Amino acid sequence: MSISAIGASVLGALLRAVADAVSKPASAADVAAMKAAESKTKTQATLDAIREKGIYQWAQEVKAEKLKEKLRAEILESRGTSEGDLAKLDPKQRASAESSIAEELARRIKEAMLEMLENQAKADPEGKPSGPAIIDIKV
């Protein structure tokens, strides 16, 4: 057998092995291992962000992102549309719709912030802290 024939047979065997690996469904153990690795990566990214920004700043950012997601879902629902509907639009129409949604989102966030400040002012008119700081990350 020549070297090129041996190389071709090795290459063929390698290609068959790759094709078999791709076509076989992943075992439950493989799926669990992938999920565990993904979870570990997400946890590490979260811990890195907390170390970089500090727990309070990180919590405030998470709270703000969750509020934005909630408000965006409410806006889409009030307009009778969904993310899927937006994805189906042509680029020009989608850009217009996204711009309109962003404006409405900014308006609602501003209203929520003003309401929060008004409530704080009513609760403590002198502006003094009323007790320990509590971090609320629920939305």
Side-chain angles (χ1 to χ4, degrees), residues 24-104:
K24 287 182 184 177
S27 70
D30 292 340
V31 171
M34 286 189 293
K35 285 183 180 180
E38 183 179 330
S39 176
K40 185 177 180 180
T41 302
K42 285 181 182 179
T43 301
Q44 188 61 48
T46 300
L47 289 173
D48 291 345
I50 291 170
R51 285 184 188 110
E52 180 182 320
K53 299 172 185 175
I55 186 82
Y56 184 77
Q57 181 64 33
W58 173 82
Q60 293 299 319
E61 289 177 10
V62 169
K63 185 177 180 180
E65 284 302 313
K66 290 193 181 281
L67 177 62
K68 286 179 185 178
E69 290 171 9
K70 180 182 174 186
L71 290 175
R72 181 177 171 88
E74 288 175 4
I75 291 167
L76 290 175
E77 185 179 324
S78 71
R79 294 180 179 196
T81 190
S82 68
E83 293 290 347
D85 294 338
L86 287 176
K88 293 176 186 175
L89 296 175
D90 67 69
K92 190 174 182 179
Q93 289 176 327
R94 181 174 179 149
S96 175
E98 289 289 350
S99 175
S100 174
I101 291 168
E103 289 172 8
E104 178 71 12

